[in-house]
Amino acid sequence: MNKNIDWKQGEPFFEGLYLTAIRFPNGLGQLDLMFWENRQWLTYDSKDPIHDYCQVVGFASTSDIIQFCRGNWPQWDDED
C-alpha cells in the first residue's frame, strides 16, 4: 500500500513514537520508527540517541500512519 505521508519538519511537540525519514551523509536515506524523548531522537530497538551524522529530515506521528491501516479485527478474538 502506497500512501502519501503528511511529513512534518522541525521537532515534534509531543514525546512518543514517530515514523521518521533519516538522511545519511552519503545522500542515502531510510524510513524508521524512532522515539522523540527529552528533545532528542532515540532508536526504536535500544532507545539510544541516533548518531550525529544522521539527520531526521521529516517525521509523522504513528497515529497518522495507523489511519492508513484500518481493517477488521482478528476473528478468533471474538469474546462475547
Side-chain angles (χ1 to χ4, degrees):
M1 145 182 29
N2 283 333
K3 298 283 185 179
N4 289 329
I5 296 173
D6 184 20
W7 292 108
K8 308 287 189 267
Q9 290 181 305
E11 296 181 351
F13 186 72
F14 297 105
E15 292 190 346
L17 183 64
Y18 292 86
L19 176 67
T20 58
I22 305 166
R23 176 75 53 210
F24 299 108
N26 62 4
L28 297 176
Q30 74 179 29
L31 300 178
D32 206 347
L33 291 173
M34 302 191 106
F35 290 101
W36 176 253
E37 290 182 10
N38 299 320
R39 297 183 54 92
Q40 64 178 342
W41 290 109
L42 306 174
T43 60
Y44 177 74
D45 55 350
S46 62
K47 290 194 113 177
D48 291 328
I50 63 171
H51 296 286
D52 292 339
Y53 58 81
C54 297
Q55 179 185 8
V56 174
V57 296
F59 63 90
S61 71
T62 49
S63 59
D64 289 344
I65 303 306
I66 290 172
Q67 290 179 20
F68 295 136
C69 303
R70 293 200 178 153
N72 61 336
W73 194 257
Q75 184 178 2
W76 60 84
D77 189 41
D78 185 18
E79 293 184 13
D80 292 349

